[in-house]
Every structure is written in C-alpha cells, then in structure tokens.
Amino acid sequence: MFDSALQRQIMGRFATGVTLVTARSDEKILGMTANAVLSLSLDPPLILVSVNKKNQMRKFLKKSNCFAINVLRDDQEEISRRFATPGPKDFSDLELVESKTGSPVLVNALAFIDCQIVQVVPGGDHDMFIGKPLAGETRDGNPLIFYSGQYTQLIS
Ligand SMILES: Cc1cc2nc3c(=O)[nH]c(=O)nc-3n(C[C@H](O)[C@H](O)[C@H](O)COP(=O)(O)O)c2cc1C
C-alpha cells in the first residue's frame, strides 16, 4: 500500500544538496532549511522552492515577496540543522550581506541566488514559490548532501 512514509523512503534515495532559504520582510529576517528547490526554467530564468504550509516561512515569503537560496557547503551542517527546527532562528554568529532584493545571503555558502517572487502555486500541503533571479554568485568548496534522511558529503 502506497503511503507518505513510502514516498519519503523512495524520495530519500534521491540525493540532494541542502540550501538555506532566506528572506527579509520589513526589518525582520528569516531562514529555513530546504532541499525541495529546483531550477524550474532557464528561458526565462525561474527558481522554485516548495514550502510546507505549516512552516512560518510560508507566511513570511508571502509578505517579503522575495527569497534567496543559499547552497550550503559540507562544513555547514550545523546551519542546516539550526534552520530545520521550528521557532525563532538565530542568525547572530552568521556572516551575512544584503543582496539585491534585500534578502540576507550567507557570505560563506557555496552559491546563492536572489529572487523576486513572481508566482505562488499551491501543491497539496505545500506552496510552490517561483522566483525570478535578480542576482547570484558561486564560490569554491564542496556541497553538503542529504541522502536517505542523513547528511553526507561527496566522495571524490
Ligand atoms: C534536509 C532538509 C530539507 C528540508 N527541505 C524542506 C523544504 O524543501 N521545504 C519545507 O517546507 N521544509 C523543508 N524542511 C523542513 C524545514 O526546514 C523545517 O520544517 C523548519 O522547521 C521550518 O521552519 P519554520 O517553521 O521556521 O519556517 C527540510 C528539512 C531538512 C532537514
């Protein structure tokens, strides 16, 4: 019998990177760990992040109208864990700069892409936020990987 536990197990075999989605609304900033992120379209450029309706990030994104996706490095597992917990988020020890949309971006991430939200599409218990990229950058390093419910690293 197919159920959500089996779906989790199957899709857990799909290894992904890990990102920190960040946004600013008024003077507040918020971040959420996410791997349901994809490069939706190249022409025009569009980025998609899927956010659970229960997460505070969903309401926040509707207000901020922007988001940045920060691709985490293999030494940033602690950041991923910290922002995968409900409740207030502590940015105090993180080196951040403000990107074009006002979203805070991590100086030490592997890459970032800063987007203006152009569409919100409901999908079951999630909302899909589609953003038009306005800025971004890549940096050197190795990615943090999430596979089968565990953090891991690339072996080369
Ligand atoms: C590796 C990993 C990936 C995750 N990906 C997503 C995601 O793509 N979308 C989502 O809504 N939650 C995702 N989560 C769960 C959120 O990070 C978690 O629910 C978080 O507590 C939400 O915070 P908030 O309620 O403050 O917004 C992920 C968690 C982990 C550990």
Side-chain angles (χ1 to χ4, degrees):
M1 169 67 183
F2 194 89
D3 60 10
S4 60
L6 181 56
Q7 179 172 333
R8 250 176 202 274
Q9 221 180 316
I10 292 166
M11 294 312 291
R13 299 300 201 265
F14 183 54
T16 67
V18 183
T19 75
L20 178 66
V21 181
T22 49
R24 176 183 301 275
S25 175
D26 303 322
E27 286 316 300
K28 288 193 199 140
I29 58 174
L30 191 65
M32 184 194 85
T33 301
N35 65 352
V37 167
L38 67 100
S39 176
L40 177 66
S41 163
L42 287 174
D43 186 16
L46 292 172
I47 299 291
L48 183 152
V49 56
S50 179
V51 180
N52 193 307
K53 287 181 176 168
K54 289 185 190 145
N55 290 344
Q56 59 173 331
M57 189 49 125
R58 176 202 175 226
K59 262 197 188 158
F60 198 85
L61 289 180
K62 289 202 170 179
K63 274 195 293 175
S64 75
N65 225 29
C66 299
F67 61 81
I69 304 284
N70 299 265
V71 181
L72 296 182
R73 278 194 335 214
D74 59 1
D75 60 354
Q76 293 177 317
E77 180 180 327
E78 188 279 323
I79 297 176
S80 175
R81 289 185 185 277
R82 190 191 311 184
F83 287 90
T85 310
K89 305 294 188 292
D90 180 15
F91 282 91
S92 60
D93 63 335
L94 302 180
E95 232 187 301
L96 300 168
V97 289
E98 195 168 300
S99 187
K100 202 158 183 173
T101 66
S103 303
V105 298
L106 289 173
V107 170
N108 296 319
L110 192 53
F112 81 87
I113 190 158
D114 184 24
C115 304
Q116 185 183 359
I117 295 170
V118 291
Q119 209 181 340
V120 185
V121 181
D125 57 6
H126 281 56
D127 275 341
M128 292 174 278
F129 291 84
I130 298 172
K132 172 183 164 184
L134 300 182
E137 207 175 291
T138 61
R139 306 182 188 114
D140 290 334
N142 292 311
L144 180 63
I145 305 290
F146 198 67
Y147 176 70
S148 207
Q150 313 263 3
Y151 293 97
T152 184
Q153 297 179 7
L154 282 183
I155 302 164
S156 50

